[in-house]
DNA sequence: ATAGGGTTAG
């Protein structure tokens, strides 16, 4: 028996011999040398450093092959014979446990490396702490962290990153302070993870300052984390500053800034940056394309979205990206493409289903939305807060009062989701649409939430449809209390007064608007022709083909009048653009955009318009008649709903 | 060994 050379021993007399080995088929029988009982030994092994101990060689090779089952068997024997290996090999095994989600095995490794007086190194404990973090077992991670005799920057960063990503993000900041007090210096890893735990701009500025002070601001990880958190707080200019200071950036930094603009509904800037990114020579990945799709979605750019779709095909199917694509098709009003995308998805999560349900509902296909919901329940995917909103939206849109009430009342019992403010909003919409204005008001007063401006606007919408001036006045006043800058509501209120010849009240409203410096946003409609966006703004004649468009519009109106179209200047409760004379009504931006679309697009192609304000009643009639006369599909997306005009009817069922 | 970017409503 010859002694082995590579080992370390903690404080006990030792003499190590190779165990006698006899190999059977599976099991390995070891003879335990009695004199190495409680000795804590660390063997240095590794893929290329064979040990003279065959058990260790077995174990280590299983670890590096990620053969979890056999590694655990070998670990058992090592436990029995009080043998330990080096930290790197354990770390490999732990990595394998993390990748496989093997909690039980991971805990076993944990027990093993703390057994019989063995003292694992900081490195190894860090790996175990990280394992518990990855298993989302923060309490275990914290307990292990607390009992560490020595904590280095990695130990701290592991915990800080864990808390930053959790609901206890406050704890991440506290730990950063604690870490500084104990004299451990944070590194780039620490800063890039703690940034997302910021509780506000002041906090963020403090962190940003210390990052500059220690010179980490040029690290790409820190930079992208900074850009990301500034955009999450809506500070796009600050994000852009951080971005522009960069000399050699990477793809993720680009993705951060593009995503920042896309998420803050600045699709134009997001697409602009995307263009520059490509020019500089970066290839888009799934994350980039997801943000680009989101930009297309907010701008209703179907054709650009379709181009992105072509690029997506070269990647393996990606759930988040597919969901974004699905949403793009829904929001651009192309339900056929959305449905097709949905059916082709190999993996669907609650967001995929919700997107599809909401897509059907917003585009006026309530029945299909409810069918999808049933299919979702059948598939076993659990609905969430937003799914139920989509379902209730579908019910209110189709006038399914009882179904909507059923889902509202039983959502807690069936799906374990408490009705939130938005669900109440849907109920108000549902009741209001059905003409049950009294019940809607009762619900608003009975709910446990304070009604907000959105809620009152919903009620106001119902008042407009059911022509209830008194309640409309009350709702409008409530809205202005909560949102005094809402120009549309001022105009509506003034229209209500004008209609009842309450001129003093009209003057009062106008005065409040003037005093408050509130200007109504001009109506604006966009249409995409050949990847170019054409914008039409009420009263703006700068479009190069404006003369031809006006001529065509007049011709169309003339022909429509022959089949019974009467420009309706009396949309007191409808006209949010606040222009009631016939001439201005005739030049509402959506009419110009529709006519331009008909002029420029090939014959059968659907005319797709996006609008910044709700569509007025007159334009709605105009579009319905024109769709029939020209045998064209026209889709108008306003800030809330979609109108699919076809054959003299609209998918909204004249309710919006 | 520890770190950064993407999807559903409003």
């Amino acid at each position: 028996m010859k002694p082995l050379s590579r080992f370390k021993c903690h404080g006990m007399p030792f003499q190590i011999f190779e165990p006698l080995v006899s190999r059977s088929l599976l099991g390995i029988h070891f003879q335990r040398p009695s004199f190495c009982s409680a000795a804590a030994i660390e063997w240095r092994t590794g893929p290329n450093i064979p040990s003279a101990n065959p058990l260790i060689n077995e174990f280590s090779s299983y670890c590096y092959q990620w053969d979890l089952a056999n590694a655990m068997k070998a670990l058992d024997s090592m436990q029995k014979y009080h043998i330990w290996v080096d930290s790197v090999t354990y770390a490999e095994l732990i990595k394998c446990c993390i990748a496989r989600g093997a909690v039980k095995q991971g805990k076993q490794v944990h027990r093993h490396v703390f057994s019989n007086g063995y003292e694992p190194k900081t490195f190894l404990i860090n790996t175990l702490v990280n394992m518990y973090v990855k298993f989302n077992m923060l309490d275990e991670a914290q307990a292990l962290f607390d009992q560490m005799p020595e904590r280095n920057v990695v130990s701290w960063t592991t915990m800080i990153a864990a808390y930053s990503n959790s609901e206890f993000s406050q704890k991440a900041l506290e730990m950063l302070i604690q870490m500084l007090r104990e004299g451990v210096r944070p590194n780039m890893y620490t800063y890039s993870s703690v940034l997302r735990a910021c509780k506000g701009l002041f906090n963020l500025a403090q962190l940003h300052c210390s990052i500059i002070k220690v010179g980490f601001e040029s690290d790409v990880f820190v930079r992208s984390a900074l850009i990301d958190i500034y955009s999450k707080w809506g500070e796009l200019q600050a994000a852009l500053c951080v971005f522009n200071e960069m000399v050699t950036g990477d793809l993720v930094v680009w993705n951060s800034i593009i995503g920042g603009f896309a998420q803050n509904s600045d699709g134009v800037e997001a697409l602009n940056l995307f263009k520059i990114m490509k020019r500089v020579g970066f290839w888009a990945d799934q994350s980039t394309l997801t943000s680009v799709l989101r930009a297309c979605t907010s701008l209703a750019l179907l054709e650009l979205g379709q181009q992105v779709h072509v690029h997506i095909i070269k990647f393996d199917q990606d759930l988040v990206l597919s969901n974004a694509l699905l949403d793009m098709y829904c929001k651009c009003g192309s339900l056929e493409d959305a449905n097709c995308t949905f059916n082709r998805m190999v993996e669907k999560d609650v967001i995929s289903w919700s997107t599809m349900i909401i897509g059907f509902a917003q585009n006026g296909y309530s029945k299909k939305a409810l069918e999808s919901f049933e299919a979702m329940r059948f598939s076993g995917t659990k609905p969430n807060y937003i799914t139920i909103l989509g379902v209730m939206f579908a019910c209110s849109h189709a006038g399914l009062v009882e179904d909507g009430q059923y889902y509202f009342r039983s959502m807690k019992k069936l799906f374990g989701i408490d009705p939130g403010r938005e669900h109440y909003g849907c109920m108000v919409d549902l009741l209001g649409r059905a003409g049950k204005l009294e019940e809607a008001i009762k619900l608003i007063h009975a709910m446990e939430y304070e009604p907000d401006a959105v809620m009152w606007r919903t009620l106001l919408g119902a008042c407009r449809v059911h022509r209830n001036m008194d309640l409309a006045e009350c709702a409008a006043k409530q809205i202005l209390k909560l949102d005094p800058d809402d120009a549309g509501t001022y105009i509506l209120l003034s229209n209500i007064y004008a209609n009842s010849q309450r001129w003093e009240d009209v003057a009062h409203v106008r005065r409040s608007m003037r005093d408050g410096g509130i200007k109504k946003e001009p109506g604006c409609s966009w249409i995409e022709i050949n990847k170019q966006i054409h914008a039409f703004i009420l009263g703006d004649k700068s479009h190069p083909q404006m003369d031809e468009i006006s001529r065509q519009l007049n011709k169309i109106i003339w022909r429509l009048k022959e089949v019974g179209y009467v420009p309706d200047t009396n949309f007191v409760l409808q006209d949010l653009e606040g222009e009631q004379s016939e001439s201005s009504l005739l030049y509402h931006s959506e009419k110009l955009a529709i006519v331009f679309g008909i002029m420029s697009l090939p014959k059968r192609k659907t005319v797709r318009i996006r609008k910044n304000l709700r569509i007025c009643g007159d334009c709605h009639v105009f579009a319905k008649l024109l769709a029939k006369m020209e045998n064209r599909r026209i889709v108008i997306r306003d800030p809330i709903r979609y109108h699919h005009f076809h054959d003299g009817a609209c998918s909204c069922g004249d309710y919006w």
Side-chain angles (χ1 to χ4, degrees), chain A residues 277-318:
Chain A
M277 178 189 119
K278 284 198 300 184
R279 205 185 305 146
V280 178
F282 283 97
W283 288 93
D285 71 356
Q286 289 97 321
S287 169
T288 327
L289 293 182
T290 304
S291 297
V292 171
L293 276 176
R294 182 162 173 162
C296 294
T297 306
S298 64
L299 297 169
L301 296 179
L302 180 60
E303 288 183 18
L304 188 57
Q306 279 165 333
Q307 260 190 311
V308 176
H309 190 169
V310 175
H311 288 285
I312 290 174
I313 296 168
K314 66 183 173 210
F315 294 110
D316 286 334
Q317 212 180 76
D318 179 293

Side-chain angles (χ1 to χ4, degrees), chain A residues 146-219:
Chain A
D146 288 340
Q147 75 182 66
M148 288 178 81
E150 196 184 286
R151 303 179 193 111
N152 61 18
V153 57
V154 178
S155 331
W156 285 98
T157 303
T158 306
M159 289 310 296
I160 287 174
Y163 283 118
S164 285
N165 292 321
S166 75
E167 50 184 320
F168 315 107
S169 52
Q170 180 62 38
K171 195 97 178 115
L173 295 170
E174 287 164 14
M175 283 192 89
L176 179 72
I177 293 165
Q178 213 181 325
M179 172 185 185
L180 291 165
R181 287 205 179 116
E182 292 193 12
V184 183
R185 300 181 74 142
N187 60 15
M188 295 88 124
Y189 289 72
T190 323
Y191 282 114
S192 57
S193 22
V194 78
L195 273 167
R196 73 170 60 189
C198 276
K199 285 284 165 284
L201 288 176
F202 181 63
N203 231 229
L204 178 48
Q206 287 177 313
L207 275 176
H208 195 166
C209 283
S210 33
I211 287 169
I212 292 170
K213 201 169 157 192
V214 292
F216 291 148
E217 87 273 24
S218 53
D219 179 78

Side-chain angles (χ1 to χ4, degrees), chain A residues 467-627:
Chain A
R467 313 257 158 176
N468 186 329
M469 299 275 191
D470 293 339
L471 199 52
E473 181 187 352
C474 157
K477 280 185 175 166
Q478 295 290 347
I479 293 169
L480 293 179
K481 255 192 229 163
L482 295 162
D483 182 3
D485 294 337
D486 185 350
T489 301
Y490 277 106
I491 292 173
L492 207 87
L493 195 56
S494 116
N495 288 353
I496 293 171
Y497 292 144
N499 200 50
S500 330
Q501 274 111 48
R502 291 160 62 180
W503 305 117
E504 266 180 38
D505 289 324
V506 171
H508 179 71
V509 171
R510 296 253 163 101
R511 209 177 311 126
S512 331
M513 274 186 89
R514 204 179 42 239
D515 294 349
I518 293 151
K519 291 214 177 73
K520 68 177 172 18
E521 195 184 346
C524 184
S525 298
W526 295 268
I527 182 166
E528 182 192 15
I529 309 268
N530 282 335
K531 287 162 215 149
Q532 293 283 321
I533 305 173
H534 297 256
F536 294 90
I537 303 166
L538 186 77
D540 172 41
K541 301 203 159 82
S542 62
H543 192 279
Q545 282 156 274
M546 189 47 96
D547 287 348
E548 179 60 17
I549 296 168
S550 308
R551 242 194 324 275
Q552 291 290 337
L553 177 58
N554 285 329
K555 232 161 71 188
I556 285 172
I557 287 170
W558 194 249
R559 281 168 59 207
L560 283 179
K561 279 182 174 167
E562 284 177 0
V563 294
Y565 167 62
V566 182
D568 189 345
T569 56
N570 194 27
F571 276 93
V572 177
L573 288 173
Q574 303 275 350
D575 182 12
L576 297 187
E577 302 208 8
E579 303 291 342
Q580 287 184 66
S581 65
E582 181 175 332
S583 63
S584 71
L585 195 67
L586 291 181
Y587 288 96
H588 269 180
S589 58
E590 57 264 56
K591 289 201 181 80
L592 295 170
I594 293 171
V595 170
F596 182 61
I598 288 180
M599 282 164 51
S600 321
L601 290 168
K603 275 212 161 105
R604 299 229 189 108
K605 204 149 187 195
T606 304
V607 176
R608 295 168 192 280
I609 313 280
R610 180 172 65 100
K611 247 210 103 176
N612 65 336
L613 301 173
R614 308 299 303 276
I615 185 169
C616 88
D618 181 62
C619 288
H620 199 259
V621 173
F622 173 87
K624 280 200 287 192
L625 294 174
L626 186 57

Side-chain angles (χ1 to χ4, degrees), chain A residues 293 297 302 305-307 309-310 323-339 341 363 608 642:
Chain A
L293 276 176
T297 306
L302 180 60
Q306 279 165 333
Q307 260 190 311
H309 190 169
V310 175
N323 285 343
L325 182 68
L326 187 62
D327 191 43
M328 184 277 292
Y329 280 127
C330 288
K331 297 286 192 314
C332 290
S334 187
L335 269 288
E336 300 86 358
D337 290 320
N339 213 7
T341 304
N363 282 280
R608 295 168 192 280
Y642 295 70

